[in-house]
Amino acid sequence: MSDRLYIFDTTLRDGEQVPGCQLNTVEKIQVAKQLELLGVDVIEAGFPISSPGDFNSVVEISKAVTWPTICALTRAVEKDIDVAAESLKYAKHKRIHTGIGTSDSHIKYKFNSNREDILERAVRAVAYAKKYVDDVEFYAEDAGRTDNEYLARVVEAVIKAGATVVNIPDTTGYCLPNEYGAKIKYLKEHVDNIDKAIISTHCHNDLGMATANTLEGVLNGARQVEVTINGIGERAGNTSLEEIAMILKCHKNIGIDTNINTRKIYPISRMVSSLMNMPVQPNKAIVGRNAFAHSSGIHQDGVLKNVQTYEIINPKDIGLDNNEIVLTARSGRAALRYRLEVNGVDIKDEETLDKIYKQFLVLADKKKEITDDDVLMLAGADRTANHSVKLDYLQVTTGKGVRSVASIGLDIAGQKFEECSTGNGPVDAAISALKRIVRKQMTLKEFTIQAISKGSDDVGKVHMQVEYDGQIYYGFGANTDIVTASVEAYIDCINKFRVK
């Protein structure tokens, strides 16, 4: 009989800590519902004490999903735990995730404390959380660099205090796989009451070993893994849910199963990428654009003779649709709705579908073929509909040997403004004209352009970081005209600091 591995998804908490990837509550609910369909066991919905928005997201996600456990993160602080408990009041299954740093580095420099005091604080936090919920998870932050003997003392004490899950994070992504596996094995062998709790992994990818470390943890006795869609997360990210799920599916001999419906992997991967404006790298394992592409002649020959020659995963197993319904300007609403559903976007409102379809026709007239990324971009375009600053028109004259000139028209809360400017290239000219209307001291800190797929008629994505009043704001724009996309990304930043 196979062992059961619990999947703890932290896309909406740890994954959302990536700069520029913040979601609003409605978007978080969309992702949470897809996570439920995917089959995750635990959804870490947020860090409620951190902001009213995070608190509200935990509340609303608790209402929106049924069978997954909803988890709220806290520090080992009573106020944090109080707020987390309040945010979970509508959850059908609830968990409080509390903890504290246990490495000597954290104890000395983060807490200016000592091992005994940290041990006491850990026990107090777990016991306090236990007053609110039966299911309490404890995290030993920076466990990867924590002395094993001391870590075992902490784990034994928090289990005695009521912890049902103990999380052993490799917070800095420092551990080698054999070291991390040995750490889990040590706890299994040296903590007397370890059978009363589930050991969980939480591995970061700073050295590119998050998935390897997680797998070693599982092989040595961990039965919960903390993961994110597409491996998103702080710095270099977290362990990818899709990688762990497919490793265990491919290697049946390991004898460990998950509840993941792997055919839902690809749609949720695209949804998270689109909502967070965070492209999936083409060579990303499982869900990257090139994951099932073959360019080598030898490889192509082998695949044509027998697909298993070079493919260990059937694309259908992750939800990749082989039904080639190509979207063009002659496609109808039904085809568009189908492609949206394949990519994890369920549009029930006909009015919303009509809006997307109109934008689709405009784009389809400019491009030969509409890709899935285009469809997801269109589905997310209505997020800018309520912005107070909107682009009315943009005209740019540029070329070799001439000074670029841009004319721009903005609609700001219903009022019309026009300006023109020259610049060092078309983008500089357009943004200079924009800044003549929006007279704020703004500094462009980062400017990234990416083609969605290929071709000169492709939609270009622009990501921007703009500094205003000491704060960094992240903007996104997409258009077949890269200058327009750049201006829209800049306007996206402006709308965000206007709201704030």
Side-chain angles (χ1 to χ4, degrees), residues 43-55:
I43 297 174
E44 189 165 48
F47 183 10
I49 194 73
S50 65
S51 72
D54 243 34
F55 178 91

Side-chain angles (χ1 to χ4, degrees), residues 246-277:
M246 293 311 295
I247 286 169
L248 296 178
K249 188 178 180 73
C250 286
H251 291 271
K252 294 290 188 184
N253 59 300
I254 293 176
I256 297 174
D257 285 335
T258 71
N259 192 51
I260 296 299
N261 178 356
T262 62
R263 288 176 177 260
K264 301 289 186 182
I265 284 175
Y266 190 73
I268 195 170
S269 166
R270 305 306 288 274
M271 171 192 267
V272 169
S273 172
S274 175
L275 289 175
M276 290 189 168
N277 298 325

Side-chain angles (χ1 to χ4, degrees), residues 321-470:
D321 180 39
N322 287 340
N323 191 342
E324 290 294 329
I325 294 181
V326 178
L327 293 180
T328 68
R330 285 154 296 286
S331 299
R333 285 173 177 77
L336 176 61
R337 188 197 293 272
Y338 172 76
R339 290 313 309 174
L340 285 164
E341 288 174 355
V342 165
N343 285 283
V345 181
D346 186 13
I347 304 291
K348 292 186 171 66
D349 177 24
E350 290 299 325
E351 186 179 340
T352 302
L353 182 64
D354 283 344
K355 282 171 58 181
I356 296 173
Y357 185 66
K358 287 175 184 176
Q359 295 167 337
F360 160 76
L361 290 177
V362 172
L363 182 59
D365 281 336
K366 297 178 183 178
K367 292 190 66 178
K368 298 170 187 172
E369 182 180 319
I370 302 296
T371 67
D372 283 347
D373 285 295
D374 295 330
V375 166
L376 285 168
M377 182 271 293
L378 290 170
D382 62 330
R383 284 177 282 162
T384 63
N386 295 321
H387 283 175
S388 59
V389 182
K390 299 176 183 175
L391 180 63
D392 253 357
Y393 72 83
L394 175 67
Q395 182 175 343
V396 178
T397 303
T398 190
K400 185 177 179 180
V402 298
R403 183 81 167 157
S404 295
V405 180
S407 299
I408 193 169
L410 296 183
D411 180 317
I412 303 179
Q415 287 187 277
K416 305 292 185 179
F417 299 86
E418 297 180 338
E419 264 295 354
C420 62
S421 181
T422 60
N424 185 22
V427 173
D428 184 48
I431 290 176
S432 295
L434 169 67
K435 291 169 79 172
R436 286 186 173 217
I437 299 173
V438 183
R439 295 181 177 276
K440 303 285 185 184
Q441 194 61 43
M442 303 170 287
T443 306
L444 180 59
K445 305 295 286 186
E446 188 173 302
F447 176 36
T448 305
I449 300 173
Q450 180 188 34
I452 282 181
S453 54
K454 57 187 177 180
S456 59
D457 65 346
D458 193 20
V459 171
K461 283 185 174 182
V462 172
H463 296 261
M464 278 190 180
Q465 292 182 24
V466 171
E467 184 177 14
Y468 170 68
D469 198 23

